[in-house]
Amino acid sequence: MEQILQQFGIAGTNSGVSTGSNILKAGGSEIVSFSPVDGREIAKVTAASRDNYEEVVKTAQSAFEAWRLWPAPRRGEVVRQLGEALRADKEALGRLVSYEMGKSLQEGYGEVQEMIDICDFAVGLSRQLHGLTMHSERPGHRMYEQWHPLGIVGIISAFNFPVAVWSWNSMLAWVCGDVCIWKPSEKTPLTALACQHIAAKVFAANGVPEGVSCLVTGDRAVGEWMSADGRVPLVSATGSTRMGKAVGAAVGARLGRALLELGGNNAIIISKDADLDMSLIGCVFGAVGTAGQRCTSTRRLIIHDSVYDAFKAKLVSAYKQLRIGDPLDEQNHVGPLIDKDAVQAYLKAIEACKQEGGTFAVEGGVLEGTGYESGCYVKPAIAEVKNDFKIVQHETFAPILYLIRYSDLDEAIALQNGVPQGLSSAIMTLNLREAEQFLSQAGSDCGIANVNIGTSGAEIGGAFGGEKETGGGRESGSDAWRAYMRRQTNTINYSTKLPLAQGIKFDL
């Protein structure tokens, strides 16, 4: 790991503030990054002061004046080169993601691959930032719409995807002509430093203005400065619903834009017509992947009465085969939770479930002994519950899977929708009518609805996001680029007269 840290210019104590290649002397408090894998200190980062933040914003404003005038395909070429740099550093960055965050090494590599994929997507997008042409009701007139960059995009990312979500926002924002200020999670600052290091080298080689890619590390105060700052027209925030409500209120108070990707409470419906063996893979990975710390993690299984006992038995058997341990060992399935606070939240959720009458088919608990010295390793648990339990209505960022019975599809869909969150959902069925009903207007109320795949994971080609307390934002693919631009409608009169719309007469 020491070699990887040196590769990305990370060692000892580091400044957590930069405007690209220019690393500022940070004036805030010190953040120590501990690995949940073994509990060891990796490195330190000095957070931004308010003066640091002001300097970064001013540099970003100046950079925007120049960057927005670069042709979009030229901006796309820079992003293409960044994708190539990420390909070259995929193994090292993936290992750092795994070690600092605690997700499995395969998931660490997958996260970097997701960054590479969004670079590829953004390169193509740089030649497709198109508007519409419309027929005017007035003779000798032409109407069309075009899209212009917004300016500074503030990005607040979470620990569970410490680099991928930044890339979803920044790559699209950059080809759109925006500049970015990134506030990473204070739990995973080193992966952010590594990404900034990679981007800075590519940007410097292409003469990109200083301030197009900025990093401001710190605690929630940095997010509060950004959310209240009228110089930042868009704040994209990923995290808990509680955090999102605070960001949304602050940004809304100044009539700015907030792109919010918040909590999930995702369910898979297991139909009587499901392929149970195939369903098992999606359910188990969805529940225990990243130790249950994905916003798309499977929290609930809504299982038809006729297959409930059989599928529960399959789950219990599969959980007995899970290997929990060092995520850099590719033989293990489940790594640690991010820290001991997350462990306490996991234990409290288990106790709350029992207090409400839940029974555990697979008991949870904290693992101790050799290999578990960090105190962050827990057992994935399975509980039989009712959907209206308070703890079931709440998102717990841990590997606790709730089982719920149903008897007909209308009931199952109502149970699926009967939580405050609305991110990801799925149904496992070979019945075409059931699949179509699940995807219909009367079906899932989530932003993501899948058939015969799980809730966890998403391809960058589709817009990612959810409804209700998930926030309503959309990132990554499809037409998500529009969030990073402002729409302008243009009317051109090429006639010799000036008729008014709606037939209004105004003669002098």
PDB file of all heavy atoms in Angstrom, residues 159 286-294 297-299 319 334 336-338 341-350 378-381 395-402:
ATOM      1  N   PHE A 159     -18.933   8.157   1.342  1.00  0.00           N
ATOM      2  CA  PHE A 159     -17.807   7.240   1.511  1.00  0.00           C
ATOM      3  C   PHE A 159     -17.968   5.943   0.745  1.00  0.00           C
ATOM      4  O   PHE A 159     -16.987   5.283   0.386  1.00  0.00           O
ATOM      5  CB  PHE A 159     -17.615   6.912   3.001  1.00  0.00           C
ATOM      6  CG  PHE A 159     -18.659   5.980   3.555  1.00  0.00           C
ATOM      7  CD1 PHE A 159     -18.531   4.609   3.456  1.00  0.00           C
ATOM      8  CD2 PHE A 159     -19.798   6.481   4.189  1.00  0.00           C
ATOM      9  CE1 PHE A 159     -19.500   3.747   3.956  1.00  0.00           C
ATOM     10  CE2 PHE A 159     -20.763   5.640   4.699  1.00  0.00           C
ATOM     11  CZ  PHE A 159     -20.613   4.261   4.582  1.00  0.00           C
ATOM     12  N   GLY A 286     -26.892  -8.414  -3.588  1.00  0.00           N
ATOM     13  CA  GLY A 286     -27.527  -7.141  -3.267  1.00  0.00           C
ATOM     14  C   GLY A 286     -27.532  -6.849  -1.781  1.00  0.00           C
ATOM     15  O   GLY A 286     -27.406  -5.698  -1.364  1.00  0.00           O
ATOM     16  N   ALA A 287     -27.646  -7.900  -0.968  1.00  0.00           N
ATOM     17  CA  ALA A 287     -27.737  -7.711   0.478  1.00  0.00           C
ATOM     18  C   ALA A 287     -26.377  -7.570   1.147  1.00  0.00           C
ATOM     19  O   ALA A 287     -26.239  -6.812   2.107  1.00  0.00           O
ATOM     20  CB  ALA A 287     -28.505  -8.875   1.107  1.00  0.00           C
ATOM     21  N   VAL A 288     -25.359  -8.292   0.665  1.00  0.00           N
ATOM     22  CA  VAL A 288     -24.074  -8.313   1.379  1.00  0.00           C
ATOM     23  C   VAL A 288     -22.956  -7.607   0.630  1.00  0.00           C
ATOM     24  O   VAL A 288     -21.899  -7.344   1.213  1.00  0.00           O
ATOM     25  CB  VAL A 288     -23.636  -9.757   1.716  1.00  0.00           C
ATOM     26  CG1 VAL A 288     -24.749 -10.499   2.434  1.00  0.00           C
ATOM     27  CG2 VAL A 288     -23.179 -10.523   0.472  1.00  0.00           C
ATOM     28  N   GLY A 289     -23.138  -7.311  -0.655  1.00  0.00           N
ATOM     29  CA  GLY A 289     -22.116  -6.586  -1.395  1.00  0.00           C
ATOM     30  C   GLY A 289     -21.830  -5.244  -0.745  1.00  0.00           C
ATOM     31  O   GLY A 289     -22.750  -4.552  -0.290  1.00  0.00           O
ATOM     32  N   THR A 290     -20.550  -4.874  -0.687  1.00  0.00           N
ATOM     33  CA  THR A 290     -20.108  -3.652   0.006  1.00  0.00           C
ATOM     34  C   THR A 290     -20.574  -3.654   1.461  1.00  0.00           C
ATOM     35  O   THR A 290     -20.790  -2.607   2.054  1.00  0.00           O
ATOM     36  CB  THR A 290     -20.592  -2.383  -0.729  1.00  0.00           C
ATOM     37  OG1 THR A 290     -20.599  -2.597  -2.138  1.00  0.00           O
ATOM     38  CG2 THR A 290     -19.693  -1.187  -0.422  1.00  0.00           C
ATOM     39  N   ALA A 291     -20.756  -4.862   2.020  1.00  0.00           N
ATOM     40  CA  ALA A 291     -21.244  -5.021   3.401  1.00  0.00           C
ATOM     41  C   ALA A 291     -22.549  -4.259   3.622  1.00  0.00           C
ATOM     42  O   ALA A 291     -22.794  -3.698   4.695  1.00  0.00           O
ATOM     43  CB  ALA A 291     -20.185  -4.591   4.412  1.00  0.00           C
ATOM     44  N   GLY A 292     -23.415  -4.256   2.599  1.00  0.00           N
ATOM     45  CA  GLY A 292     -24.713  -3.593   2.724  1.00  0.00           C
ATOM     46  C   GLY A 292     -24.635  -2.081   2.740  1.00  0.00           C
ATOM     47  O   GLY A 292     -25.581  -1.422   3.171  1.00  0.00           O
ATOM     48  N   GLN A 293     -23.545  -1.520   2.249  1.00  0.00           N
ATOM     49  CA  GLN A 293     -23.346  -0.067   2.328  1.00  0.00           C
ATOM     50  C   GLN A 293     -23.501   0.613   0.965  1.00  0.00           C
ATOM     51  O   GLN A 293     -22.834   1.597   0.662  1.00  0.00           O
ATOM     52  CB  GLN A 293     -21.960   0.241   2.915  1.00  0.00           C
ATOM     53  CG  GLN A 293     -21.805  -0.226   4.349  1.00  0.00           C
ATOM     54  CD  GLN A 293     -20.375  -0.097   4.836  1.00  0.00           C
ATOM     55  OE1 GLN A 293     -20.078   0.703   5.716  1.00  0.00           O
ATOM     56  NE2 GLN A 293     -19.473  -0.872   4.256  1.00  0.00           N
ATOM     57  N   ARG A 294     -24.358   0.075   0.135  1.00  0.00           N
ATOM     58  CA  ARG A 294     -24.719   0.735  -1.126  1.00  0.00           C
ATOM     59  C   ARG A 294     -26.091   1.376  -0.967  1.00  0.00           C
ATOM     60  O   ARG A 294     -26.957   0.840  -0.276  1.00  0.00           O
ATOM     61  CB  ARG A 294     -24.781  -0.271  -2.276  1.00  0.00           C
ATOM     62  CG  ARG A 294     -23.453  -0.876  -2.683  1.00  0.00           C
ATOM     63  CD  ARG A 294     -23.634  -1.765  -3.898  1.00  0.00           C
ATOM     64  NE  ARG A 294     -22.372  -2.281  -4.383  1.00  0.00           N
ATOM     65  CZ  ARG A 294     -22.088  -2.482  -5.668  1.00  0.00           C
ATOM     66  NH1 ARG A 294     -23.005  -2.229  -6.585  1.00  0.00           N
ATOM     67  NH2 ARG A 294     -20.916  -2.959  -6.037  1.00  0.00           N
ATOM     68  N   SER A 297     -28.325  -1.221  -2.123  1.00  0.00           N
ATOM     69  CA  SER A 297     -28.314  -2.528  -1.455  1.00  0.00           C
ATOM     70  C   SER A 297     -29.731  -3.054  -1.263  1.00  0.00           C
ATOM     71  O   SER A 297     -30.675  -2.287  -1.025  1.00  0.00           O
ATOM     72  CB  SER A 297     -27.630  -2.426  -0.089  1.00  0.00           C
ATOM     73  OG  SER A 297     -26.239  -2.233  -0.224  1.00  0.00           O
ATOM     74  N   THR A 298     -29.887  -4.357  -1.350  1.00  0.00           N
ATOM     75  CA  THR A 298     -31.189  -4.977  -1.129  1.00  0.00           C
ATOM     76  C   THR A 298     -31.448  -5.044   0.369  1.00  0.00           C
ATOM     77  O   THR A 298     -30.716  -5.703   1.113  1.00  0.00           O
ATOM     78  CB  THR A 298     -31.228  -6.390  -1.734  1.00  0.00           C
ATOM     79  OG1 THR A 298     -30.871  -6.316  -3.121  1.00  0.00           O
ATOM     80  CG2 THR A 298     -32.613  -6.991  -1.598  1.00  0.00           C
ATOM     81  N   ARG A 299     -32.485  -4.353   0.820  1.00  0.00           N
ATOM     82  CA  ARG A 299     -32.850  -4.316   2.241  1.00  0.00           C
ATOM     83  C   ARG A 299     -34.004  -5.272   2.552  1.00  0.00           C
ATOM     84  O   ARG A 299     -34.090  -5.795   3.660  1.00  0.00           O
ATOM     85  CB  ARG A 299     -33.291  -2.896   2.643  1.00  0.00           C
ATOM     86  CG  ARG A 299     -32.334  -1.788   2.257  1.00  0.00           C
ATOM     87  CD  ARG A 299     -31.098  -1.798   3.095  1.00  0.00           C
ATOM     88  NE  ARG A 299     -30.134  -0.791   2.648  1.00  0.00           N
ATOM     89  CZ  ARG A 299     -28.838  -0.838   2.915  1.00  0.00           C
ATOM     90  NH1 ARG A 299     -28.334  -1.832   3.616  1.00  0.00           N
ATOM     91  NH2 ARG A 299     -28.026   0.095   2.479  1.00  0.00           N
ATOM     92  N   TYR A 319     -25.882 -18.027   3.087  1.00  0.00           N
ATOM     93  CA  TYR A 319     -25.213 -17.177   4.080  1.00  0.00           C
ATOM     94  C   TYR A 319     -24.161 -17.972   4.871  1.00  0.00           C
ATOM     95  O   TYR A 319     -23.160 -17.399   5.318  1.00  0.00           O
ATOM     96  CB  TYR A 319     -26.235 -16.543   5.030  1.00  0.00           C
ATOM     97  CG  TYR A 319     -26.752 -15.197   4.554  1.00  0.00           C
ATOM     98  CD1 TYR A 319     -27.239 -15.029   3.256  1.00  0.00           C
ATOM     99  CD2 TYR A 319     -26.743 -14.081   5.387  1.00  0.00           C
ATOM    100  CE1 TYR A 319     -27.701 -13.799   2.810  1.00  0.00           C
ATOM    101  CE2 TYR A 319     -27.208 -12.849   4.955  1.00  0.00           C
ATOM    102  CZ  TYR A 319     -27.690 -12.711   3.674  1.00  0.00           C
ATOM    103  OH  TYR A 319     -28.131 -11.492   3.234  1.00  0.00           O
ATOM    104  N   VAL A 334     -17.298 -10.699   1.855  1.00  0.00           N
ATOM    105  CA  VAL A 334     -17.785  -9.549   2.631  1.00  0.00           C
ATOM    106  C   VAL A 334     -16.629  -8.926   3.399  1.00  0.00           C
ATOM    107  O   VAL A 334     -15.888  -9.627   4.102  1.00  0.00           O
ATOM    108  CB  VAL A 334     -18.891  -9.970   3.626  1.00  0.00           C
ATOM    109  CG1 VAL A 334     -19.455  -8.747   4.350  1.00  0.00           C
ATOM    110  CG2 VAL A 334     -20.005 -10.720   2.898  1.00  0.00           C
ATOM    111  N   PRO A 336     -15.399  -5.188   5.746  1.00  0.00           N
ATOM    112  CA  PRO A 336     -15.856  -4.516   6.962  1.00  0.00           C
ATOM    113  C   PRO A 336     -16.845  -3.396   6.684  1.00  0.00           C
ATOM    114  O   PRO A 336     -16.977  -2.928   5.545  1.00  0.00           O
ATOM    115  CB  PRO A 336     -14.558  -3.929   7.525  1.00  0.00           C
ATOM    116  CG  PRO A 336     -13.759  -3.607   6.291  1.00  0.00           C
ATOM    117  CD  PRO A 336     -14.060  -4.713   5.314  1.00  0.00           C
ATOM    118  N   LEU A 337     -17.527  -2.945   7.725  1.00  0.00           N
ATOM    119  CA  LEU A 337     -18.234  -1.677   7.678  1.00  0.00           C
ATOM    120  C   LEU A 337     -17.209  -0.546   7.732  1.00  0.00           C
ATOM    121  O   LEU A 337     -16.049  -0.754   8.088  1.00  0.00           O
ATOM    122  CB  LEU A 337     -19.224  -1.568   8.837  1.00  0.00           C
ATOM    123  CG  LEU A 337     -20.397  -2.558   8.811  1.00  0.00           C
ATOM    124  CD1 LEU A 337     -21.261  -2.394  10.056  1.00  0.00           C
ATOM    125  CD2 LEU A 337     -21.234  -2.397   7.556  1.00  0.00           C
ATOM    126  N   ILE A 338     -17.628   0.651   7.402  1.00  0.00           N
ATOM    127  CA  ILE A 338     -16.680   1.753   7.244  1.00  0.00           C
ATOM    128  C   ILE A 338     -15.992   2.139   8.548  1.00  0.00           C
ATOM    129  O   ILE A 338     -14.810   2.486   8.564  1.00  0.00           O
ATOM    130  CB  ILE A 338     -17.369   2.988   6.604  1.00  0.00           C
ATOM    131  CG1 ILE A 338     -16.365   4.094   6.313  1.00  0.00           C
ATOM    132  CG2 ILE A 338     -18.506   3.487   7.479  1.00  0.00           C
ATOM    133  CD1 ILE A 338     -15.306   3.752   5.303  1.00  0.00           C
ATOM    134  N   ASP A 341     -18.731   3.514  14.252  1.00  0.00           N
ATOM    135  CA  ASP A 341     -20.057   4.134  14.337  1.00  0.00           C
ATOM    136  C   ASP A 341     -21.061   3.338  13.509  1.00  0.00           C
ATOM    137  O   ASP A 341     -22.217   3.150  13.914  1.00  0.00           O
ATOM    138  CB  ASP A 341     -20.000   5.578  13.844  1.00  0.00           C
ATOM    139  CG  ASP A 341     -19.293   6.509  14.814  1.00  0.00           C
ATOM    140  OD1 ASP A 341     -19.148   6.135  15.992  1.00  0.00           O
ATOM    141  OD2 ASP A 341     -18.887   7.612  14.399  1.00  0.00           O
ATOM    142  N   ALA A 342     -20.621   2.873  12.338  1.00  0.00           N
ATOM    143  CA  ALA A 342     -21.496   2.057  11.495  1.00  0.00           C
ATOM    144  C   ALA A 342     -21.812   0.727  12.171  1.00  0.00           C
ATOM    145  O   ALA A 342     -22.935   0.208  12.059  1.00  0.00           O
ATOM    146  CB  ALA A 342     -20.838   1.818  10.141  1.00  0.00           C
ATOM    147  N   VAL A 343     -20.855   0.177  12.889  1.00  0.00           N
ATOM    148  CA  VAL A 343     -21.080  -1.067  13.634  1.00  0.00           C
ATOM    149  C   VAL A 343     -22.148  -0.849  14.702  1.00  0.00           C
ATOM    150  O   VAL A 343     -23.048  -1.680  14.883  1.00  0.00           O
ATOM    151  CB  VAL A 343     -19.770  -1.567  14.265  1.00  0.00           C
ATOM    152  CG1 VAL A 343     -20.046  -2.765  15.182  1.00  0.00           C
ATOM    153  CG2 VAL A 343     -18.766  -1.956  13.185  1.00  0.00           C
ATOM    154  N   GLN A 344     -22.073   0.273  15.399  1.00  0.00           N
ATOM    155  CA  GLN A 344     -23.074   0.562  16.423  1.00  0.00           C
ATOM    156  C   GLN A 344     -24.465   0.732  15.827  1.00  0.00           C
ATOM    157  O   GLN A 344     -25.467   0.286  16.400  1.00  0.00           O
ATOM    158  CB  GLN A 344     -22.668   1.806  17.215  1.00  0.00           C
ATOM    159  CG  GLN A 344     -21.472   1.592  18.131  1.00  0.00           C
ATOM    160  CD  GLN A 344     -21.680   0.433  19.104  1.00  0.00           C
ATOM    161  OE1 GLN A 344     -22.688   0.372  19.814  1.00  0.00           O
ATOM    162  NE2 GLN A 344     -20.727  -0.498  19.118  1.00  0.00           N
ATOM    163  N   ALA A 345     -24.540   1.371  14.670  1.00  0.00           N
ATOM    164  CA  ALA A 345     -25.841   1.528  13.999  1.00  0.00           C
ATOM    165  C   ALA A 345     -26.408   0.171  13.601  1.00  0.00           C
ATOM    166  O   ALA A 345     -27.622  -0.064  13.712  1.00  0.00           O
ATOM    167  CB  ALA A 345     -25.680   2.419  12.770  1.00  0.00           C
ATOM    168  N   TYR A 346     -25.544  -0.723  13.165  1.00  0.00           N
ATOM    169  CA  TYR A 346     -25.945  -2.097  12.811  1.00  0.00           C
ATOM    170  C   TYR A 346     -26.506  -2.834  14.035  1.00  0.00           C
ATOM    171  O   TYR A 346     -27.579  -3.460  13.971  1.00  0.00           O
ATOM    172  CB  TYR A 346     -24.721  -2.794  12.229  1.00  0.00           C
ATOM    173  CG  TYR A 346     -24.706  -4.300  12.260  1.00  0.00           C
ATOM    174  CD1 TYR A 346     -25.278  -5.058  11.240  1.00  0.00           C
ATOM    175  CD2 TYR A 346     -24.040  -4.976  13.293  1.00  0.00           C
ATOM    176  CE1 TYR A 346     -25.219  -6.434  11.257  1.00  0.00           C
ATOM    177  CE2 TYR A 346     -23.977  -6.365  13.313  1.00  0.00           C
ATOM    178  CZ  TYR A 346     -24.569  -7.095  12.296  1.00  0.00           C
ATOM    179  OH  TYR A 346     -24.507  -8.462  12.306  1.00  0.00           O
ATOM    180  N   LEU A 347     -25.798  -2.730  15.152  1.00  0.00           N
ATOM    181  CA  LEU A 347     -26.248  -3.414  16.369  1.00  0.00           C
ATOM    182  C   LEU A 347     -27.569  -2.838  16.878  1.00  0.00           C
ATOM    183  O   LEU A 347     -28.451  -3.588  17.331  1.00  0.00           O
ATOM    184  CB  LEU A 347     -25.165  -3.310  17.448  1.00  0.00           C
ATOM    185  CG  LEU A 347     -23.866  -4.073  17.175  1.00  0.00           C
ATOM    186  CD1 LEU A 347     -22.828  -3.762  18.242  1.00  0.00           C
ATOM    187  CD2 LEU A 347     -24.118  -5.582  17.105  1.00  0.00           C
ATOM    188  N   LYS A 348     -27.705  -1.537  16.807  1.00  0.00           N
ATOM    189  CA  LYS A 348     -28.953  -0.905  17.247  1.00  0.00           C
ATOM    190  C   LYS A 348     -30.124  -1.339  16.371  1.00  0.00           C
ATOM    191  O   LYS A 348     -31.243  -1.537  16.856  1.00  0.00           O
ATOM    192  CB  LYS A 348     -28.802   0.614  17.227  1.00  0.00           C
ATOM    193  CG  LYS A 348     -27.916   1.162  18.334  1.00  0.00           C
ATOM    194  CD  LYS A 348     -27.795   2.677  18.238  1.00  0.00           C
ATOM    195  CE  LYS A 348     -26.891   3.229  19.341  1.00  0.00           C
ATOM    196  NZ  LYS A 348     -26.731   4.708  19.231  1.00  0.00           N
ATOM    197  N   ALA A 349     -29.883  -1.486  15.066  1.00  0.00           N
ATOM    198  CA  ALA A 349     -30.950  -1.910  14.162  1.00  0.00           C
ATOM    199  C   ALA A 349     -31.385  -3.333  14.482  1.00  0.00           C
ATOM    200  O   ALA A 349     -32.589  -3.653  14.465  1.00  0.00           O
ATOM    201  CB  ALA A 349     -30.480  -1.808  12.710  1.00  0.00           C
ATOM    202  N   ILE A 350     -30.438  -4.206  14.778  1.00  0.00           N
ATOM    203  CA  ILE A 350     -30.782  -5.582  15.136  1.00  0.00           C
ATOM    204  C   ILE A 350     -31.623  -5.606  16.413  1.00  0.00           C
ATOM    205  O   ILE A 350     -32.643  -6.312  16.496  1.00  0.00           O
ATOM    206  CB  ILE A 350     -29.497  -6.424  15.309  1.00  0.00           C
ATOM    207  CG1 ILE A 350     -28.863  -6.687  13.940  1.00  0.00           C
ATOM    208  CG2 ILE A 350     -29.801  -7.734  16.032  1.00  0.00           C
ATOM    209  CD1 ILE A 350     -27.549  -7.416  13.995  1.00  0.00           C
ATOM    210  N   VAL A 378     -18.755  -7.438  10.665  1.00  0.00           N
ATOM    211  CA  VAL A 378     -20.002  -7.939  11.249  1.00  0.00           C
ATOM    212  C   VAL A 378     -20.550  -9.076  10.398  1.00  0.00           C
ATOM    213  O   VAL A 378     -20.167  -9.248   9.237  1.00  0.00           O
ATOM    214  CB  VAL A 378     -21.055  -6.812  11.367  1.00  0.00           C
ATOM    215  CG1 VAL A 378     -20.540  -5.670  12.223  1.00  0.00           C
ATOM    216  CG2 VAL A 378     -21.490  -6.303   9.988  1.00  0.00           C
ATOM    217  N   LYS A 379     -21.462  -9.829  10.996  1.00  0.00           N
ATOM    218  CA  LYS A 379     -22.089 -10.950  10.292  1.00  0.00           C
ATOM    219  C   LYS A 379     -23.335 -10.457   9.530  1.00  0.00           C
ATOM    220  O   LYS A 379     -24.196  -9.800  10.130  1.00  0.00           O
ATOM    221  CB  LYS A 379     -22.518 -12.023  11.288  1.00  0.00           C
ATOM    222  CG  LYS A 379     -21.396 -12.628  12.105  1.00  0.00           C
ATOM    223  CD  LYS A 379     -21.971 -13.601  13.136  1.00  0.00           C
ATOM    224  CE  LYS A 379     -20.901 -14.134  14.052  1.00  0.00           C
ATOM    225  NZ  LYS A 379     -21.467 -15.032  15.104  1.00  0.00           N
ATOM    226  N   PRO A 380     -23.451 -10.741   8.251  1.00  0.00           N
ATOM    227  CA  PRO A 380     -24.711 -10.465   7.552  1.00  0.00           C
ATOM    228  C   PRO A 380     -25.852 -11.226   8.219  1.00  0.00           C
ATOM    229  O   PRO A 380     -25.713 -12.409   8.548  1.00  0.00           O
ATOM    230  CB  PRO A 380     -24.447 -10.968   6.135  1.00  0.00           C
ATOM    231  CG  PRO A 380     -22.962 -10.879   5.976  1.00  0.00           C
ATOM    232  CD  PRO A 380     -22.414 -11.250   7.339  1.00  0.00           C
ATOM    233  N   ALA A 381     -26.959 -10.534   8.428  1.00  0.00           N
ATOM    234  CA  ALA A 381     -28.080 -11.110   9.169  1.00  0.00           C
ATOM    235  C   ALA A 381     -29.339 -11.135   8.308  1.00  0.00           C
ATOM    236  O   ALA A 381     -29.499 -10.327   7.381  1.00  0.00           O
ATOM    237  CB  ALA A 381     -28.333 -10.300  10.436  1.00  0.00           C
ATOM    238  N   GLU A 395     -33.601   3.226   6.584  1.00  0.00           N
ATOM    239  CA  GLU A 395     -32.435   2.650   5.910  1.00  0.00           C
ATOM    240  C   GLU A 395     -31.290   2.490   6.905  1.00  0.00           C
ATOM    241  O   GLU A 395     -30.816   3.462   7.486  1.00  0.00           O
ATOM    242  CB  GLU A 395     -31.971   3.553   4.765  1.00  0.00           C
ATOM    243  CG  GLU A 395     -30.746   2.992   4.042  1.00  0.00           C
ATOM    244  CD  GLU A 395     -30.111   3.989   3.091  1.00  0.00           C
ATOM    245  OE1 GLU A 395     -30.065   5.196   3.429  1.00  0.00           O
ATOM    246  OE2 GLU A 395     -29.656   3.559   2.018  1.00  0.00           O
ATOM    247  N   THR A 396     -30.857   1.242   7.091  1.00  0.00           N
ATOM    248  CA  THR A 396     -29.670   0.967   7.894  1.00  0.00           C
ATOM    249  C   THR A 396     -28.556   0.556   6.948  1.00  0.00           C
ATOM    250  O   THR A 396     -28.688  -0.416   6.201  1.00  0.00           O
ATOM    251  CB  THR A 396     -29.917  -0.166   8.913  1.00  0.00           C
ATOM    252  OG1 THR A 396     -31.000   0.205   9.771  1.00  0.00           O
ATOM    253  CG2 THR A 396     -28.680  -0.417   9.755  1.00  0.00           C
ATOM    254  N   PHE A 397     -27.439   1.293   6.976  1.00  0.00           N
ATOM    255  CA  PHE A 397     -26.341   1.043   6.059  1.00  0.00           C
ATOM    256  C   PHE A 397     -25.491  -0.105   6.589  1.00  0.00           C
ATOM    257  O   PHE A 397     -24.382   0.082   7.097  1.00  0.00           O
ATOM    258  CB  PHE A 397     -25.516   2.321   5.920  1.00  0.00           C
ATOM    259  CG  PHE A 397     -25.373   2.785   4.494  1.00  0.00           C
ATOM    260  CD1 PHE A 397     -26.457   2.817   3.637  1.00  0.00           C
ATOM    261  CD2 PHE A 397     -24.145   3.220   4.008  1.00  0.00           C
ATOM    262  CE1 PHE A 397     -26.336   3.250   2.328  1.00  0.00           C
ATOM    263  CE2 PHE A 397     -23.999   3.654   2.702  1.00  0.00           C
ATOM    264  CZ  PHE A 397     -25.093   3.670   1.860  1.00  0.00           C
ATOM    265  N   ALA A 398     -26.021  -1.328   6.452  1.00  0.00           N
ATOM    266  CA  ALA A 398     -25.356  -2.511   6.993  1.00  0.00           C
ATOM    267  C   ALA A 398     -26.014  -3.746   6.379  1.00  0.00           C
ATOM    268  O   ALA A 398     -27.124  -3.658   5.825  1.00  0.00           O
ATOM    269  CB  ALA A 398     -25.475  -2.534   8.515  1.00  0.00           C
ATOM    270  N   PRO A 399     -25.366  -4.914   6.480  1.00  0.00           N
ATOM    271  CA  PRO A 399     -25.918  -6.121   5.834  1.00  0.00           C
ATOM    272  C   PRO A 399     -27.000  -6.803   6.659  1.00  0.00           C
ATOM    273  O   PRO A 399     -26.802  -7.888   7.211  1.00  0.00           O
ATOM    274  CB  PRO A 399     -24.674  -7.008   5.662  1.00  0.00           C
ATOM    275  CG  PRO A 399     -23.800  -6.638   6.818  1.00  0.00           C
ATOM    276  CD  PRO A 399     -24.016  -5.163   7.026  1.00  0.00           C
ATOM    277  N   ILE A 400     -28.152  -6.161   6.756  1.00  0.00           N
ATOM    278  CA  ILE A 400     -29.322  -6.746   7.410  1.00  0.00           C
ATOM    279  C   ILE A 400     -30.413  -6.873   6.348  1.00  0.00           C
ATOM    280  O   ILE A 400     -30.817  -5.875   5.746  1.00  0.00           O
ATOM    281  CB  ILE A 400     -29.823  -5.889   8.573  1.00  0.00           C
ATOM    282  CG1 ILE A 400     -28.708  -5.651   9.590  1.00  0.00           C
ATOM    283  CG2 ILE A 400     -31.024  -6.558   9.238  1.00  0.00           C
ATOM    284  CD1 ILE A 400     -29.093  -4.676  10.691  1.00  0.00           C
ATOM    285  N   LEU A 401     -30.874  -8.088   6.121  1.00  0.00           N
ATOM    286  CA  LEU A 401     -31.874  -8.363   5.093  1.00  0.00           C
ATOM    287  C   LEU A 401     -33.189  -8.744   5.763  1.00  0.00           C
ATOM    288  O   LEU A 401     -33.223  -9.632   6.618  1.00  0.00           O
ATOM    289  CB  LEU A 401     -31.383  -9.498   4.194  1.00  0.00           C
ATOM    290  CG  LEU A 401     -32.289  -9.917   3.041  1.00  0.00           C
ATOM    291  CD1 LEU A 401     -32.489  -8.776   2.046  1.00  0.00           C
ATOM    292  CD2 LEU A 401     -31.715 -11.150   2.333  1.00  0.00           C
ATOM    293  N   TYR A 402     -34.277  -8.077   5.365  1.00  0.00           N
ATOM    294  CA  TYR A 402     -35.586  -8.319   5.949  1.00  0.00           C
ATOM    295  C   TYR A 402     -36.444  -9.157   4.989  1.00  0.00           C
ATOM    296  O   TYR A 402     -36.550  -8.834   3.800  1.00  0.00           O
ATOM    297  CB  TYR A 402     -36.295  -6.994   6.235  1.00  0.00           C
ATOM    298  CG  TYR A 402     -35.554  -6.101   7.205  1.00  0.00           C
ATOM    299  CD1 TYR A 402     -35.114  -4.828   6.835  1.00  0.00           C
ATOM    300  CD2 TYR A 402     -35.312  -6.522   8.511  1.00  0.00           C
ATOM    301  CE1 TYR A 402     -34.441  -4.004   7.729  1.00  0.00           C
ATOM    302  CE2 TYR A 402     -34.639  -5.708   9.413  1.00  0.00           C
ATOM    303  CZ  TYR A 402     -34.201  -4.449   9.009  1.00  0.00           C
ATOM    304  OH  TYR A 402     -33.535  -3.644   9.895  1.00  0.00           O
TER     305      TYR A 402
END
